[in-house]
Amino acid sequence: MQMYENDLIHLTNKLIELNDYAYRSYNQVREKGEQGDFYQDVKPFADQVRDACEQWLPLAIAWVNEFQPKHLHPIQLKNTSENLQMVSVKAFYPDSSLKKFKSHIQSVDYVLKRLLEETKKNN
């Protein structure tokens, strides 16, 4: 149990960092008005996010199912994974909607930080 909880905490922190990176990248491409290069910027980052999400999601769902924290549910975790994977691509395109992008970033951040808080309560 403790081992997978440590992995979950580590991966959750990693996803928070990737979400922050996506937000910073988006702000940079909006300032420049130039989209990122698909093979140099977009694909490597999107692949990294996808791989991290694929490792994180089963652990997060298992943990939530086991401990049943208030206000955290498996569907939220699935949506968080999907939203993060979506922003990992949109982060490199300045014409992406600022309002929607920020909303997804904030939503991902909220769920990930909530999960971290809940795992700390459990230790």
Side-chain angles (χ1 to χ4, degrees):
M1 170 56 214
Q2 187 63 35
M3 185 64 173
Y4 99 82
E5 195 167 61
N6 288 340
D7 290 344
L8 176 61
I9 291 167
H10 171 75
L11 286 165
T12 303
N13 280 314
K14 182 176 181 176
L15 292 183
I16 290 169
E17 289 172 17
L18 292 169
N19 193 46
D20 288 343
Y21 181 83
Y23 185 63
R24 289 192 313 272
S25 297
Y26 180 71
N27 287 328
Q28 287 175 348
V29 298
R30 275 186 72 88
E31 275 179 30
K32 292 178 184 173
E34 295 174 15
Q35 67 185 40
D37 179 82
F38 181 77
Y39 292 103
Q40 207 169 343
D41 304 317
V42 183
K43 186 170 176 9
F45 182 66
D47 288 348
Q48 182 183 7
V49 169
R50 185 200 63 229
D51 293 347
C53 285
E54 285 175 357
Q55 292 174 41
W56 172 82
L57 187 58
L59 293 177
I61 289 174
W63 191 90
V64 165
N65 284 336
E66 184 172 340
F67 293 101
Q68 300 186 350
K70 283 186 178 180
H71 313 298
L72 270 181
H73 307 282
I75 190 69
Q76 282 176 292
L77 302 173
K78 186 176 182 296
N79 291 340
T80 297
S81 174
E82 289 171 1
N83 286 340
L84 182 52
Q85 290 179 64
M86 182 184 56
V87 298
S88 73
V89 174
K90 290 187 179 228
F92 297 96
Y93 297 96
D95 56 347
S96 297
S97 165
L98 175 62
K99 186 176 179 183
K100 281 184 184 177
F101 188 83
K102 275 181 100 169
S103 174
H104 284 111
I105 289 284
Q106 289 167 346
S107 173
V108 167
D109 195 56
Y110 173 79
V111 172
L112 293 174
K113 287 182 177 171
R114 210 50 213 106
L115 182 61
L116 277 183
E117 287 171 20
E118 291 297 331
T119 58
K120 286 176 184 161
K121 282 184 194 175
N122 232 36
N123 287 336

mmCIF file of all heavy atoms in Angstrom, residues 77-115:
data_model
loop_
_atom_site.group_PDB
_atom_site.id
_atom_site.type_symbol
_atom_site.label_atom_id
_atom_site.label_comp_id
_atom_site.label_asym_id
_atom_site.label_seq_id
_atom_site.Cartn_x
_atom_site.Cartn_y
_atom_site.Cartn_z
ATOM 1 N N LEU A 77 -10.946 12.255 -11.806
ATOM 2 C CA LEU A 77 -9.559 11.901 -12.102
ATOM 3 C C LEU A 77 -9.390 11.621 -13.594
ATOM 4 O O LEU A 77 -8.415 12.058 -14.209
ATOM 5 C CB LEU A 77 -9.139 10.686 -11.272
ATOM 6 C CG LEU A 77 -9.262 10.851 -9.756
ATOM 7 C CD1 LEU A 77 -8.994 9.530 -9.061
ATOM 8 C CD2 LEU A 77 -8.355 11.939 -9.243
ATOM 9 N N LYS A 78 -10.355 10.915 -14.156
ATOM 10 C CA LYS A 78 -10.323 10.627 -15.591
ATOM 11 C C LYS A 78 -10.390 11.927 -16.398
ATOM 12 O O LYS A 78 -9.620 12.133 -17.339
ATOM 13 C CB LYS A 78 -11.492 9.710 -15.946
ATOM 14 C CG LYS A 78 -11.495 9.216 -17.366
ATOM 15 C CD LYS A 78 -12.649 8.229 -17.566
ATOM 16 C CE LYS A 78 -12.694 7.657 -18.950
ATOM 17 N NZ LYS A 78 -12.937 8.608 -20.006
ATOM 18 N N ASN A 79 -11.294 12.826 -16.003
ATOM 19 C CA ASN A 79 -11.416 14.122 -16.681
ATOM 20 C C ASN A 79 -10.149 14.952 -16.531
ATOM 21 O O ASN A 79 -9.731 15.642 -17.461
ATOM 22 C CB ASN A 79 -12.623 14.904 -16.151
ATOM 23 C CG ASN A 79 -13.939 14.281 -16.557
ATOM 24 O OD1 ASN A 79 -14.013 13.497 -17.502
ATOM 25 N ND2 ASN A 79 -14.991 14.613 -15.826
ATOM 26 N N THR A 80 -9.536 14.877 -15.361
ATOM 27 C CA THR A 80 -8.295 15.615 -15.118
ATOM 28 C C THR A 80 -7.193 15.119 -16.052
ATOM 29 O O THR A 80 -6.475 15.917 -16.663
ATOM 30 C CB THR A 80 -7.868 15.467 -13.644
ATOM 31 O OG1 THR A 80 -8.888 16.070 -12.833
ATOM 32 C CG2 THR A 80 -6.531 16.122 -13.370
ATOM 33 N N SER A 81 -7.090 13.816 -16.183
ATOM 34 C CA SER A 81 -6.104 13.228 -17.087
ATOM 35 C C SER A 81 -6.362 13.684 -18.529
ATOM 36 O O SER A 81 -5.436 14.102 -19.242
ATOM 37 C CB SER A 81 -6.163 11.701 -16.988
ATOM 38 O OG SER A 81 -5.329 11.109 -17.939
ATOM 39 N N GLU A 82 -7.615 13.621 -18.952
ATOM 40 C CA GLU A 82 -7.967 14.045 -20.319
ATOM 41 C C GLU A 82 -7.705 15.532 -20.529
ATOM 42 O O GLU A 82 -7.179 15.938 -21.574
ATOM 43 C CB GLU A 82 -9.431 13.719 -20.604
ATOM 44 C CG GLU A 82 -9.690 12.234 -20.745
ATOM 45 C CD GLU A 82 -11.170 11.874 -20.814
ATOM 46 O OE1 GLU A 82 -12.031 12.776 -20.769
ATOM 47 O OE2 GLU A 82 -11.463 10.666 -20.922
ATOM 48 N N ASN A 83 -8.070 16.349 -19.543
ATOM 49 C CA ASN A 83 -7.851 17.796 -19.666
ATOM 50 C C ASN A 83 -6.372 18.133 -19.740
ATOM 51 O O ASN A 83 -5.961 18.991 -20.522
ATOM 52 C CB ASN A 83 -8.503 18.546 -18.496
ATOM 53 C CG ASN A 83 -10.000 18.609 -18.609
ATOM 54 O OD1 ASN A 83 -10.570 18.435 -19.679
ATOM 55 N ND2 ASN A 83 -10.659 18.855 -17.487
ATOM 56 N N LEU A 84 -5.576 17.477 -18.923
ATOM 57 C CA LEU A 84 -4.134 17.746 -18.945
ATOM 58 C C LEU A 84 -3.529 17.333 -20.280
ATOM 59 O O LEU A 84 -2.699 18.053 -20.839
ATOM 60 C CB LEU A 84 -3.434 17.028 -17.782
ATOM 61 C CG LEU A 84 -1.935 17.272 -17.652
ATOM 62 C CD1 LEU A 84 -1.597 18.758 -17.640
ATOM 63 C CD2 LEU A 84 -1.402 16.604 -16.404
ATOM 64 N N GLN A 85 -3.975 16.214 -20.822
ATOM 65 C CA GLN A 85 -3.462 15.789 -22.124
ATOM 66 C C GLN A 85 -3.891 16.767 -23.222
ATOM 67 O O GLN A 85 -3.123 17.043 -24.143
ATOM 68 C CB GLN A 85 -3.921 14.371 -22.430
ATOM 69 C CG GLN A 85 -3.235 13.350 -21.527
ATOM 70 C CD GLN A 85 -3.681 11.944 -21.786
ATOM 71 O OE1 GLN A 85 -3.455 11.433 -22.875
ATOM 72 N NE2 GLN A 85 -4.305 11.314 -20.804
ATOM 73 N N MET A 86 -5.080 17.313 -23.099
ATOM 74 C CA MET A 86 -5.546 18.290 -24.079
ATOM 75 C C MET A 86 -4.731 19.586 -23.996
ATOM 76 O O MET A 86 -4.272 20.102 -25.014
ATOM 77 C CB MET A 86 -7.031 18.595 -23.860
ATOM 78 C CG MET A 86 -7.590 19.565 -24.873
ATOM 79 S SD MET A 86 -9.286 20.014 -24.536
ATOM 80 C CE MET A 86 -9.177 20.639 -22.883
ATOM 81 N N VAL A 87 -4.518 20.102 -22.774
ATOM 82 C CA VAL A 87 -3.757 21.354 -22.665
ATOM 83 C C VAL A 87 -2.297 21.156 -23.034
ATOM 84 O O VAL A 87 -1.643 22.110 -23.452
ATOM 85 C CB VAL A 87 -3.886 22.035 -21.274
ATOM 86 C CG1 VAL A 87 -5.308 22.418 -20.973
ATOM 87 C CG2 VAL A 87 -3.277 21.223 -20.162
ATOM 88 N N SER A 88 -1.794 19.925 -22.928
ATOM 89 C CA SER A 88 -0.398 19.682 -23.300
ATOM 90 C C SER A 88 -0.177 19.935 -24.786
ATOM 91 O O SER A 88 0.927 20.269 -25.211
ATOM 92 C CB SER A 88 0.030 18.259 -22.940
ATOM 93 O OG SER A 88 -0.546 17.300 -23.802
ATOM 94 N N VAL A 89 -1.225 19.810 -25.588
ATOM 95 C CA VAL A 89 -1.144 20.104 -27.021
ATOM 96 C C VAL A 89 -1.492 21.571 -27.273
ATOM 97 O O VAL A 89 -0.763 22.287 -27.959
ATOM 98 C CB VAL A 89 -2.086 19.179 -27.822
ATOM 99 C CG1 VAL A 89 -2.126 19.578 -29.284
ATOM 100 C CG2 VAL A 89 -1.644 17.727 -27.680
ATOM 101 N N LYS A 90 -2.581 22.024 -26.692
ATOM 102 C CA LYS A 90 -3.047 23.398 -26.933
ATOM 103 C C LYS A 90 -2.073 24.455 -26.416
ATOM 104 O O LYS A 90 -2.110 25.598 -26.850
ATOM 105 C CB LYS A 90 -4.420 23.615 -26.311
ATOM 106 C CG LYS A 90 -5.498 22.847 -27.043
ATOM 107 C CD LYS A 90 -6.865 23.199 -26.532
ATOM 108 C CE LYS A 90 -7.890 22.418 -27.302
ATOM 109 N NZ LYS A 90 -8.975 23.202 -27.782
ATOM 110 N N ALA A 91 -1.203 24.070 -25.503
ATOM 111 C CA ALA A 91 -0.246 25.009 -24.913
ATOM 112 C C ALA A 91 0.674 25.632 -25.954
ATOM 113 O O ALA A 91 1.249 26.688 -25.726
ATOM 114 C CB ALA A 91 0.595 24.303 -23.847
ATOM 115 N N PHE A 92 0.810 25.000 -27.107
ATOM 116 C CA PHE A 92 1.756 25.480 -28.110
ATOM 117 C C PHE A 92 1.082 26.214 -29.268
ATOM 118 O O PHE A 92 1.722 26.523 -30.265
ATOM 119 C CB PHE A 92 2.582 24.299 -28.626
ATOM 120 C CG PHE A 92 3.417 23.682 -27.547
ATOM 121 C CD1 PHE A 92 2.968 22.565 -26.844
ATOM 122 C CD2 PHE A 92 4.637 24.234 -27.188
ATOM 123 C CE1 PHE A 92 3.724 22.002 -25.834
ATOM 124 C CE2 PHE A 92 5.401 23.682 -26.175
ATOM 125 C CZ PHE A 92 4.940 22.564 -25.498
ATOM 126 N N TYR A 93 -0.210 26.480 -29.109
ATOM 127 C CA TYR A 93 -0.964 27.153 -30.169
ATOM 128 C C TYR A 93 -1.593 28.432 -29.620
ATOM 129 O O TYR A 93 -2.523 28.379 -28.815
ATOM 130 C CB TYR A 93 -2.035 26.212 -30.747
ATOM 131 C CG TYR A 93 -1.408 25.013 -31.400
ATOM 132 C CD1 TYR A 93 -1.267 23.811 -30.716
ATOM 133 C CD2 TYR A 93 -0.913 25.090 -32.701
ATOM 134 C CE1 TYR A 93 -0.657 22.713 -31.305
ATOM 135 C CE2 TYR A 93 -0.306 23.994 -33.302
ATOM 136 C CZ TYR A 93 -0.183 22.819 -32.601
ATOM 137 O OH TYR A 93 0.425 21.729 -33.190
ATOM 138 N N PRO A 94 -1.085 29.590 -30.059
ATOM 139 C CA PRO A 94 -1.542 30.868 -29.495
ATOM 140 C C PRO A 94 -3.008 31.184 -29.781
ATOM 141 O O PRO A 94 -3.604 31.997 -29.082
ATOM 142 C CB PRO A 94 -0.621 31.907 -30.148
ATOM 143 C CG PRO A 94 -0.104 31.254 -31.377
ATOM 144 C CD PRO A 94 -0.078 29.780 -31.094
ATOM 145 N N ASP A 95 -3.597 30.538 -30.780
ATOM 146 C CA ASP A 95 -4.989 30.842 -31.110
ATOM 147 C C ASP A 95 -5.981 30.037 -30.260
ATOM 148 O O ASP A 95 -7.187 30.188 -30.405
ATOM 149 C CB ASP A 95 -5.261 30.636 -32.598
ATOM 150 C CG ASP A 95 -4.901 29.236 -33.081
ATOM 151 O OD1 ASP A 95 -4.216 28.507 -32.345
ATOM 152 O OD2 ASP A 95 -5.307 28.878 -34.203
ATOM 153 N N SER A 96 -5.461 29.191 -29.345
ATOM 154 C CA SER A 96 -6.351 28.472 -28.421
ATOM 155 C C SER A 96 -7.034 29.485 -27.513
ATOM 156 O O SER A 96 -6.428 30.466 -27.087
ATOM 157 C CB SER A 96 -5.551 27.489 -27.562
ATOM 158 O OG SER A 96 -4.948 26.504 -28.357
ATOM 159 N N SER A 97 -8.282 29.237 -27.201
ATOM 160 C CA SER A 97 -9.072 30.142 -26.359
ATOM 161 C C SER A 97 -8.429 30.304 -24.982
ATOM 162 O O SER A 97 -8.242 29.326 -24.258
ATOM 163 C CB SER A 97 -10.490 29.602 -26.206
ATOM 164 O OG SER A 97 -11.156 30.248 -25.149
ATOM 165 N N LEU A 98 -8.103 31.545 -24.631
ATOM 166 C CA LEU A 98 -7.474 31.842 -23.343
ATOM 167 C C LEU A 98 -8.380 31.418 -22.186
ATOM 168 O O LEU A 98 -7.934 30.775 -21.240
ATOM 169 C CB LEU A 98 -7.149 33.338 -23.235
ATOM 170 C CG LEU A 98 -6.588 33.817 -21.897
ATOM 171 C CD1 LEU A 98 -5.267 33.132 -21.600
ATOM 172 C CD2 LEU A 98 -6.414 35.323 -21.895
ATOM 173 N N LYS A 99 -9.655 31.748 -22.284
ATOM 174 C CA LYS A 99 -10.587 31.446 -21.199
ATOM 175 C C LYS A 99 -10.708 29.938 -20.963
ATOM 176 O O LYS A 99 -10.621 29.462 -19.828
ATOM 177 C CB LYS A 99 -11.961 32.049 -21.507
ATOM 178 C CG LYS A 99 -12.944 31.928 -20.391
ATOM 179 C CD LYS A 99 -14.246 32.629 -20.717
ATOM 180 C CE LYS A 99 -15.226 32.462 -19.566
ATOM 181 N NZ LYS A 99 -16.514 33.056 -19.852
ATOM 182 N N LYS A 100 -10.907 29.185 -22.035
ATOM 183 C CA LYS A 100 -11.021 27.727 -21.908
ATOM 184 C C LYS A 100 -9.710 27.115 -21.417
ATOM 185 O O LYS A 100 -9.712 26.212 -20.578
ATOM 186 C CB LYS A 100 -11.398 27.090 -23.251
ATOM 187 C CG LYS A 100 -12.853 27.197 -23.597
ATOM 188 C CD LYS A 100 -13.125 26.444 -24.886
ATOM 189 C CE LYS A 100 -14.564 26.608 -25.313
ATOM 190 N NZ LYS A 100 -14.828 25.958 -26.584
ATOM 191 N N PHE A 101 -8.608 27.591 -21.968
ATOM 192 C CA PHE A 101 -7.305 27.048 -21.586
ATOM 193 C C PHE A 101 -7.061 27.252 -20.095
ATOM 194 O O PHE A 101 -6.713 26.318 -19.379
ATOM 195 C CB PHE A 101 -6.185 27.695 -22.418
ATOM 196 C CG PHE A 101 -4.853 27.052 -22.202
ATOM 197 C CD1 PHE A 101 -4.504 25.909 -22.897
ATOM 198 C CD2 PHE A 101 -3.959 27.573 -21.285
ATOM 199 C CE1 PHE A 101 -3.267 25.294 -22.689
ATOM 200 C CE2 PHE A 101 -2.730 26.963 -21.066
ATOM 201 C CZ PHE A 101 -2.391 25.826 -21.772
ATOM 202 N N LYS A 102 -7.263 28.492 -19.625
ATOM 203 C CA LYS A 102 -7.057 28.793 -18.204
ATOM 204 C C LYS A 102 -7.994 27.973 -17.321
ATOM 205 O O LYS A 102 -7.604 27.487 -16.270
ATOM 206 C CB LYS A 102 -7.267 30.282 -17.933
ATOM 207 C CG LYS A 102 -6.040 31.129 -18.177
ATOM 208 C CD LYS A 102 -6.317 32.568 -17.865
ATOM 209 C CE LYS A 102 -5.789 32.922 -16.510
ATOM 210 N NZ LYS A 102 -5.803 34.374 -16.265
ATOM 211 N N SER A 103 -9.215 27.804 -17.765
ATOM 212 C CA SER A 103 -10.198 27.029 -17.008
ATOM 213 C C SER A 103 -9.734 25.581 -16.851
ATOM 214 O O SER A 103 -9.813 25.003 -15.760
ATOM 215 C CB SER A 103 -11.549 27.092 -17.715
ATOM 216 O OG SER A 103 -12.471 26.247 -17.089
ATOM 217 N N HIS A 104 -9.228 24.996 -17.937
ATOM 218 C CA HIS A 104 -8.735 23.623 -17.865
ATOM 219 C C HIS A 104 -7.497 23.519 -16.973
ATOM 220 O O HIS A 104 -7.383 22.584 -16.178
ATOM 221 C CB HIS A 104 -8.433 23.087 -19.267
ATOM 222 C CG HIS A 104 -9.651 22.724 -20.031
ATOM 223 N ND1 HIS A 104 -10.075 23.435 -21.128
ATOM 224 C CD2 HIS A 104 -10.556 21.747 -19.854
ATOM 225 C CE1 HIS A 104 -11.181 22.905 -21.592
ATOM 226 N NE2 HIS A 104 -11.499 21.870 -20.834
ATOM 227 N N ILE A 105 -6.602 24.470 -17.103
ATOM 228 C CA ILE A 105 -5.387 24.489 -16.271
ATOM 229 C C ILE A 105 -5.774 24.554 -14.792
ATOM 230 O O ILE A 105 -5.252 23.801 -13.967
ATOM 231 C CB ILE A 105 -4.471 25.686 -16.649
ATOM 232 C CG1 ILE A 105 -3.823 25.461 -18.016
ATOM 233 C CG2 ILE A 105 -3.420 25.949 -15.574
ATOM 234 C CD1 ILE A 105 -2.683 24.474 -18.054
ATOM 235 N N GLN A 106 -6.696 25.455 -14.466
ATOM 236 C CA GLN A 106 -7.109 25.622 -13.065
ATOM 237 C C GLN A 106 -7.821 24.381 -12.541
ATOM 238 O O GLN A 106 -7.622 23.980 -11.394
ATOM 239 C CB GLN A 106 -8.005 26.854 -12.929
ATOM 240 C CG GLN A 106 -7.245 28.149 -13.104
ATOM 241 C CD GLN A 106 -8.154 29.361 -13.274
ATOM 242 O OE1 GLN A 106 -9.343 29.232 -13.518
ATOM 243 N NE2 GLN A 106 -7.569 30.545 -13.141
ATOM 244 N N SER A 107 -8.633 23.779 -13.374
ATOM 245 C CA SER A 107 -9.352 22.567 -12.977
ATOM 246 C C SER A 107 -8.384 21.424 -12.691
ATOM 247 O O SER A 107 -8.497 20.727 -11.671
ATOM 248 C CB SER A 107 -10.327 22.177 -14.091
ATOM 249 O OG SER A 107 -10.921 20.950 -13.817
ATOM 250 N N VAL A 108 -7.429 21.224 -13.575
ATOM 251 C CA VAL A 108 -6.414 20.185 -13.396
ATOM 252 C C VAL A 108 -5.635 20.443 -12.107
ATOM 253 O O VAL A 108 -5.449 19.544 -11.278
ATOM 254 C CB VAL A 108 -5.450 20.131 -14.617
ATOM 255 C CG1 VAL A 108 -4.211 19.296 -14.317
ATOM 256 C CG2 VAL A 108 -6.184 19.596 -15.843
ATOM 257 N N ASP A 109 -5.208 21.681 -11.928
ATOM 258 C CA ASP A 109 -4.433 22.055 -10.751
ATOM 259 C C ASP A 109 -5.221 21.783 -9.462
ATOM 260 O O ASP A 109 -4.685 21.221 -8.503
ATOM 261 C CB ASP A 109 -4.053 23.536 -10.844
ATOM 262 C CG ASP A 109 -2.956 23.914 -9.873
ATOM 263 O OD1 ASP A 109 -1.883 23.282 -9.930
ATOM 264 O OD2 ASP A 109 -3.169 24.842 -9.066
ATOM 265 N N TYR A 110 -6.486 22.152 -9.471
ATOM 266 C CA TYR A 110 -7.331 21.965 -8.289
ATOM 267 C C TYR A 110 -7.434 20.481 -7.910
ATOM 268 O O TYR A 110 -7.219 20.113 -6.753
ATOM 269 C CB TYR A 110 -8.733 22.543 -8.523
ATOM 270 C CG TYR A 110 -9.680 22.226 -7.397
ATOM 271 C CD1 TYR A 110 -9.639 22.959 -6.205
ATOM 272 C CD2 TYR A 110 -10.578 21.167 -7.494
ATOM 273 C CE1 TYR A 110 -10.484 22.644 -5.154
ATOM 274 C CE2 TYR A 110 -11.425 20.850 -6.442
ATOM 275 C CZ TYR A 110 -11.375 21.598 -5.271
ATOM 276 O OH TYR A 110 -12.208 21.273 -4.229
ATOM 277 N N VAL A 111 -7.756 19.639 -8.871
ATOM 278 C CA VAL A 111 -7.942 18.207 -8.578
ATOM 279 C C VAL A 111 -6.626 17.575 -8.124
ATOM 280 O O VAL A 111 -6.603 16.810 -7.148
ATOM 281 C CB VAL A 111 -8.541 17.450 -9.792
ATOM 282 C CG1 VAL A 111 -8.555 15.945 -9.552
ATOM 283 C CG2 VAL A 111 -9.944 17.959 -10.088
ATOM 284 N N LEU A 112 -5.527 17.906 -8.794
ATOM 285 C CA LEU A 112 -4.237 17.323 -8.414
ATOM 286 C C LEU A 112 -3.830 17.752 -7.000
ATOM 287 O O LEU A 112 -3.379 16.923 -6.193
ATOM 288 C CB LEU A 112 -3.154 17.714 -9.424
ATOM 289 C CG LEU A 112 -3.307 17.138 -10.825
ATOM 290 C CD1 LEU A 112 -2.262 17.712 -11.759
ATOM 291 C CD2 LEU A 112 -3.241 15.611 -10.817
ATOM 292 N N LYS A 113 -4.004 19.023 -6.691
ATOM 293 C CA LYS A 113 -3.629 19.507 -5.351
ATOM 294 C C LYS A 113 -4.559 18.950 -4.280
ATOM 295 O O LYS A 113 -4.131 18.657 -3.168
ATOM 296 C CB LYS A 113 -3.575 21.029 -5.333
ATOM 297 C CG LYS A 113 -2.351 21.531 -6.079
ATOM 298 C CD LYS A 113 -2.207 23.017 -6.074
ATOM 299 C CE LYS A 113 -0.903 23.392 -6.783
ATOM 300 N NZ LYS A 113 -0.782 24.821 -7.002
ATOM 301 N N ARG A 114 -5.811 18.779 -4.623
ATOM 302 C CA ARG A 114 -6.791 18.178 -3.703
ATOM 303 C C ARG A 114 -6.383 16.739 -3.380
ATOM 304 O O ARG A 114 -6.445 16.292 -2.239
ATOM 305 C CB ARG A 114 -8.119 18.202 -4.413
ATOM 306 C CG ARG A 114 -9.394 18.295 -3.861
ATOM 307 C CD ARG A 114 -9.816 19.295 -2.866
ATOM 308 N NE ARG A 114 -10.787 18.580 -2.078
ATOM 309 C CZ ARG A 114 -10.572 18.138 -0.861
ATOM 310 N NH1 ARG A 114 -9.472 18.391 -0.246
ATOM 311 N NH2 ARG A 114 -11.470 17.451 -0.235
ATOM 312 N N LEU A 115 -5.975 16.010 -4.417
ATOM 313 C CA LEU A 115 -5.534 14.632 -4.222
ATOM 314 C C LEU A 115 -4.308 14.576 -3.309
ATOM 315 O O LEU A 115 -4.230 13.743 -2.401
ATOM 316 C CB LEU A 115 -5.236 13.967 -5.574
ATOM 317 C CG LEU A 115 -4.820 12.505 -5.532
ATOM 318 C CD1 LEU A 115 -5.923 11.640 -4.925
ATOM 319 C CD2 LEU A 115 -4.496 12.016 -6.930
#
